[in-house]
């Protein structure tokens, strides 16, 4: 039965989801950009790297992934024996859309002396065509381990790539993708907001364009922004990332004030991720009840994609030393 012709209004969704989670031996993983009610019912809420690690480690039989499709695919790549459900299969990502596998493959072939460092926000097929996957919290650590003269393609986020290039002094070839959410912050409105809250720092995600990052006091992944918001001495912090993360901040330090950075009209909801917002409690309930929609991957593709993800997990665990990996170790084997 599809959701459209179901009436779930009589159900206590929290209780039902909890019951099904136990019956199915399921773990609910959620990204910080999910609606507050989903974050609150999840077993674990985290950034992309933490969620990948959880998916790889869990001994649950079912992973209900409350995030977007590339995240649920990552869970399936790392835990193929588990059933992975995504409440709404249409929960995509503009970065993934910007990088079709055939175009990425052709680009790689034009630059055979470059390795591909690819942001986790991409399809399993693009992961399979990449050498090392990175997240915003692992990119710098991974770049630090590559020889300085290594030629690198960074895809698909040109803003994260540009930020990393500026920070590490590396000249990388950037794929021209953007996150439609972080792209919408307005520099003019941010300057006005800062003037209204003198002294309040700006914490920004590196998916923001450079003209926004130029005004930031702290740049990092969602987990890193959350840590800064909780631990820094400021009473008021301006948050330049998807605003649902503010829920965790308000729970952790209710005495502080967190203000979402504005879009062009100064007060819009345009910075809510439309893909993440597709997941609802109703769809999570149905996913746990029906064990659908499921993520399924071709085994050959999965194994190829796993190589680049495993490199990320290994290189972000601190066990590989600086400069340890050279071009020969990383050359893409097709
Ligand atoms: P992180 O949680 O890794 O910072 O990623 C942010 C994001 O945009 C996920 O889609
Ligand atoms: Fe993709 Fe941006 Fe949404 Fe993250 S916030 S899922 S990068 S569109």
């Amino acid at each position: 039965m599809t959701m459209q012709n179901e009436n779930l209004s009589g159900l206590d969704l929290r209780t039902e989801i909890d019951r099904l989670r136990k019956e199915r031996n399921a773990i609910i993983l959620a990204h910080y950009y999910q609606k507050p009610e989903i974050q609150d019912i999840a077993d674990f809420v985290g950034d992309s790297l933490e969620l990948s690690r959880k998916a790889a480690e869990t001994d649950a039989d079912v992973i209900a992934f409350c995030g977007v499709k590339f995240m649920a695919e990552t869970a399936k790549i790392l835990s193929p024996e588990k059933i992975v459900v995504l409440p709404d299969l249409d929960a995509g990502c503009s970065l993934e859309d910007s990088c079709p596998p055939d175009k990425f493959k052709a680009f790689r072939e034009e630059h055979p002396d470059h390795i591909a460092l690819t942001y986790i926000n991409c399809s399993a097929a693009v992961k399979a065509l990449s050498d090392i996957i990175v997240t915003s919290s692992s990119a710098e650590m991974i770049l630090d381990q590559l020889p300085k003269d290594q030629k690198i393609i960074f895809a698909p986020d040109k803003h994260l790539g540009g930020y990393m290039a500026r920070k590490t002094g590396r000249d990388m070839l950037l794929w021209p993708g953007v996150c439609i959410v972080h792209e919408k912050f307005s520099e003019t409105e941010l300057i006005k907001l800062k003037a209204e809250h003198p002294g309040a720092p700006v914490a920004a995600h590196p998916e923001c364009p450079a003209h926004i990052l130029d005004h930031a006091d702290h740049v990092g992944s969602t987990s890193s922004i959350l840590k800064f918001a909780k631990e820094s001495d400021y009473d008021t912090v301006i948050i330049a990332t998807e605003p649902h993360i503010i829920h965790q901040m308000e729970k952790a330090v209710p005495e502080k004030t967190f203000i979402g950075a504005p879009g062009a009209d100064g007060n819009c909801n345009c910075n809510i991720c439309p893909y993440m917002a597709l997941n609802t409690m109703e769809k999570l309930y149905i996913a746990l009840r029906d064990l659908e929609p499921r993520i399924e991957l071709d085994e050959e593709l999965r194994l190829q994609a796993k190589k680049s993800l495993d490199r990320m997990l290994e290189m972000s665990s601190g066990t590989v030393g600086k400069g340890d990996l050279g071009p020969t170790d990383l050359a893409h084997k097709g």
Side-chain angles (χ1 to χ4, degrees), residues 6-7 13 31 59 66 70 73 78 81 90 105 116 140 171 179 183 195 206 221 234 251 270 277 320 326-327:
E6 279 195 67
N7 182 0
L13 288 171
H31 190 265
D59 55 11
C66 298
F70 75 79
E73 273 187 356
L78 296 170
E81 70 292 352
D90 288 332
K105 187 167 187 284
E140 189 177 353
D171 184 21
C179 160
E183 184 79 347
S221 75
Y234 303 95
K251 270 172 65 169
C270 53
V320 183

Side-chain angles (χ1 to χ4, degrees), residues 303-324:
L303 288 172
Q304 193 59 35
K306 188 171 182 294
K307 288 185 195 168
S308 56
L309 267 171
D310 281 345
R311 280 208 182 99
M312 171 186 79
L313 294 174
E314 188 191 333
M315 292 177 81
S316 60
S317 70
T319 55
V320 183
K322 224 175 165 113
D324 272 3

Side-chain angles (χ1 to χ4, degrees), residues 33 68 70 92-95 121 179-182 207 273 275-276:
Y33 296 167
V68 291
F70 75 79
C93 171
S94 64
L95 284 167
N121 299 35
C179 160
I180 51 164
V181 172
H182 291 85
E207 286 174 14
C273 175
Y275 307 103
M276 292 273 183

Side-chain angles (χ1 to χ4, degrees), residues 31-33 46-49 68 70-71 119 121 135-137 182 205 207 220-223 276:
H31 190 265
Y32 291 122
Y33 296 167
D47 73 8
S48 308
L49 182 63
V68 291
F70 75 79
M71 296 178 173
Y119 193 28
N121 299 35
T135 64
S136 49
S137 55
H182 291 85
H205 196 280
E207 286 174 14
S221 75
T222 48
S223 280
M276 292 273 183

Side-chain angles (χ1 to χ4, degrees), residues 257-289:
T257 304
F258 303 105
I259 307 170
D265 72 357
N267 185 27
C268 65
N269 275 331
C270 53
N271 305 117
I272 289 180
C273 175
Y275 307 103
M276 292 273 183
L278 288 174
N279 294 327
T280 59
M281 290 289 275
E282 286 79 6
K283 292 178 196 171
L284 172 59
Y285 161 75
I286 290 173
L288 280 168
R289 185 193 67 189

